Amino acid sequence: GAVVSQHPSRVICKSGTSVKIECRSLDFQATTMFWYRQFPKKSLMLMATSNEGSKATYEQGVEKDKFLINHASLTLSTLTVTSAHPEDSSFYICSRIPPGTDGEAFFGQGTRLTVV
Amino acid sequence: AQKVTQAQTEISVVEKEDVTLDCVYETRDTTYYLFWYKQPPSGELVFLIRRNSFDEQNEISGRYSWNFQKSTSSFNFTITASQVVDSAVYFCALIPNQAGTALIFGKGTTLSVSS
């Protein structure tokens, strides 16, 4: 079964509204989780690293104020797309890698965001 | 620089053909991990294999096989006797150095298998 649960799988929102995407680690307390964005027919680009109890680390070019990441507990990280615009439409996917292993990553099911 | 290159953007084959997906990586680290993921149209990423840099042994899993060559920094993936259900985007990915860091993905290869 899934070890990382991501919700919602699909969301349509109006321009200017905010959308929250949840990513839950079901079998492991994850101090670190990762958020990726995938444009149509493109690769997955790392947006940010979510750190439990501290601020997220954003990749260059990713707007911190637009993509708010909160990792309030060891099993939940959230990505909020604020004041969404059509260009924010994309596929967002989270993952977690347990520390101390040799790096196997598990991914959520992904969220397809459409901003109209 | 840490980088993964999948030079083949799209490949089309007919069922039962064998197909090889190429992956070339760059990293300065001596310890690293290589992955292949399958992404069907639904979007979820399906884990296929993980290899660490110290294990160059080739692997076979059913119709899938992987050829890891450190000398050429390549980690190629072969599907034998392809099937329509193999149609998907396949990503090669790298985690440099130690565990706990994010994957670096290649651009993906779209495989279309027709009947």
Side-chain angles (χ1 to χ4, degrees), chain A residues 1-74:
Chain A
V3 298
V4 177
S5 177
Q6 185 174 343
H7 293 280
S9 59
R10 191 178 293 268
V11 59
I12 301 173
C13 71
K14 292 183 177 180
S15 289
T17 62
S18 295
V19 173
K20 180 185 284 188
I21 303 169
E22 293 188 347
C23 181
R24 293 183 183 276
S25 178
L26 301 179
D27 67 334
F28 193 90
Q29 293 183 324
T31 56
T32 302
M33 299 179 85
F34 303 99
W35 286 95
Y36 294 84
R37 179 175 181 176
Q38 184 180 29
F39 290 100
K41 300 194 176 185
K42 297 290 185 183
S43 187
L44 290 92
M45 302 302 296
L46 179 67
M47 296 176 66
T49 302
S50 173
N51 304 300
E52 188 270 334
S54 64
K55 292 183 179 179
T57 305
Y58 290 82
E59 296 299 301
Q60 191 172 12
V62 177
E63 297 177 61
K64 302 177 185 180
D65 296 331
K66 165 159 281 292
F67 299 102
L68 299 178
I69 290 173
N70 187 300
H71 196 147
S73 78
L74 285 169

Side-chain angles (χ1 to χ4, degrees), chain B residues 47-66:
Chain B
F47 169 78
L48 296 178
I49 191 171
R50 174 190 68 237
R51 254 296 174 262
N52 73 56
S53 52
F54 299 108
D55 183 1
E56 282 193 78
Q57 198 169 17
N58 291 331
E59 183 158 334
I60 298 174
S61 176
R63 296 184 297 107
Y64 296 168
S65 61
W66 291 269

Side-chain angles (χ1 to χ4, degrees), chain B residues 34-110:
Chain B
L34 296 165
F35 301 77
W36 276 95
Y37 284 88
K38 175 182 180 179
Q39 188 179 41
S42 59
E44 84 265 25
L45 286 169
V46 178
F47 169 78
L48 296 178
I49 191 171
R50 174 190 68 237
R51 254 296 174 262
N52 73 56
S53 52
F54 299 108
D55 183 1
E56 282 193 78
Q57 198 169 17
N58 291 331
E59 183 158 334
I60 298 174
S61 176
R63 296 184 297 107
Y64 296 168
S65 61
W66 291 269
N67 185 334
F68 179 24
Q69 299 270 353
K70 284 180 78 171
S71 60
T72 56
S73 296
S74 65
F75 186 41
N76 296 338
F77 172 34
T78 297
I79 302 175
T80 303
S82 59
Q83 300 176 1
V84 173
V85 293
D86 295 327
S87 297
V89 182
Y90 291 86
F91 289 99
C92 181
L94 164 73
I95 291 183
N97 55 65
Q98 299 300 316
T101 57
L103 277 79
I104 299 168
F105 284 89
K107 293 189 175 182
T109 297
T110 300

